[in-house]
Amino acid sequence: MASVGQVIVWIVIGLIGGTLAGFLIKGDRHGFGTMNNLGLGLLGALTGGFLFRGLGLFEGLDRYSVSLRDIISAIVGSLLQVGVGAMIGAPLGMMVGVYLSEVGKESRFASVVRFVNDILLSAPSVLIGLFVYQIAVLPFGGFSGFAGALALALIAMPIVARTTEDILRLVPQAYRDGAIALGSRENEVVRKVVLPAAFGGILTGVLLAVARIAGETAPLLFTSLGNDIWST
């Protein structure tokens, strides 16, 4: 394990390197105390410590045996939960977004739905995990992958809903008016004109939601928990 003095030396070297990097890259002559240079310095300190000296953080890890089966189980379990969560949350989010943009608009019920969606969007993921723990874990007497996927779906749904609503509002009103003038009904305007025009933005929102839930761990601690069992 490295001593305190060695750690301080590496931090100082990293700070100097970060300051020089900020000066060379951005021409920042007065940026010694900026957050960017501080971040570069800390990154340089950690990188230098690991590469040239090592801080001893990984000593003793050989006491824990990790097999290939454990790794594959974790990867496949993550993919399954993210996939199921996206398949549940993305369609629900798109339906909510379409309702808020094309149907409810500024009605009282739409305002309530929009308010609830904003709450879910800003709620800590651990609270969503505790909520799913109460409704999908305790009643069934154990943790499950479906409970974890349900928690991820609740996280993904408001992201897709907000993105869908915002993208649909960017579609020009002339598209809707032209389709109605040609005799299309309201649902046909949404399905055949508005949604295809906003498909790229909606897909981007879905990808953002998948990226968000793929990195979640806190809600899974209360729902799926995890195990080392691999079905063959």
Side-chain angles (χ1 to χ4, degrees):
M1 189 73 177
S3 64
V4 177
Q6 291 172 337
V7 174
I8 294 176
V9 169
W10 280 114
I11 291 177
V12 172
I13 294 175
L15 289 175
I16 296 174
T19 304
L20 292 177
F23 173 75
L24 295 175
I25 296 174
K26 299 178 295 183
D28 186 6
R29 297 178 180 273
H30 306 286
F32 184 84
T34 61
M35 293 302 296
N36 290 335
N37 293 342
L38 180 60
L40 289 173
L42 293 178
L43 179 61
L46 292 175
T47 304
F50 281 121
L51 291 180
F52 298 103
R53 183 69 181 179
L55 300 179
L57 298 178
F58 301 109
E59 292 180 357
L61 287 183
D62 54 347
R63 294 176 296 176
Y64 304 96
S65 59
V66 179
S67 64
L68 181 61
R69 177 177 298 182
D70 299 329
I71 298 175
I72 295 177
S73 177
I75 294 175
V76 173
S78 298
L79 292 177
L80 288 175
Q81 290 181 97
V82 171
V84 175
M87 287 189 293
I88 296 175
L92 291 177
M94 286 188 284
M95 288 189 289
V96 171
V98 170
Y99 170 77
L100 293 176
S101 175
E102 304 298 323
V103 182
K105 298 182 179 179
E106 301 301 327
S107 65
R108 181 173 300 179
F109 182 72
S111 299
V112 174
V113 173
R114 192 175 291 110
F115 176 72
V116 173
N117 185 77
D118 291 340
I119 291 177
L120 288 176
L121 191 62
S122 58
S125 58
V126 64
L127 294 182
I128 296 178
L130 289 172
F131 172 73
V132 177
Y133 176 79
Q134 292 291 332
I135 66 172
V137 175
L138 289 181
F140 296 98
F143 300 96
S144 65
F146 179 77
L150 183 61
L152 297 180
L154 289 178
I155 297 174
M157 183 183 67
I159 301 175
V160 178
R162 170 56 67 86
T163 307
T164 302
E165 181 187 6
D166 292 342
I167 292 299
L168 292 179
R169 289 181 180 272
L170 295 178
V171 177
Q173 184 63 32
Y175 288 15
R176 302 175 178 86
D177 296 340
I180 294 175
L182 294 174
S184 299
R185 291 174 294 191
E186 185 175 358
N187 62 339
E188 293 177 338
V189 173
V190 175
R191 288 188 294 106
K192 298 182 179 180
V193 178
V194 178
L195 287 178
F199 176 76
I202 296 174
L203 181 61
T204 301
V206 173
L207 293 178
L208 289 174
V210 171
R212 164 74 186 277
I213 64 178
E216 289 292 343
T217 54
L220 301 182
L221 294 176
F222 298 97
T223 52
S224 60
L225 188 62
N227 59 71
D228 57 355
I229 300 175
W230 173 252
S231 299
T232 57

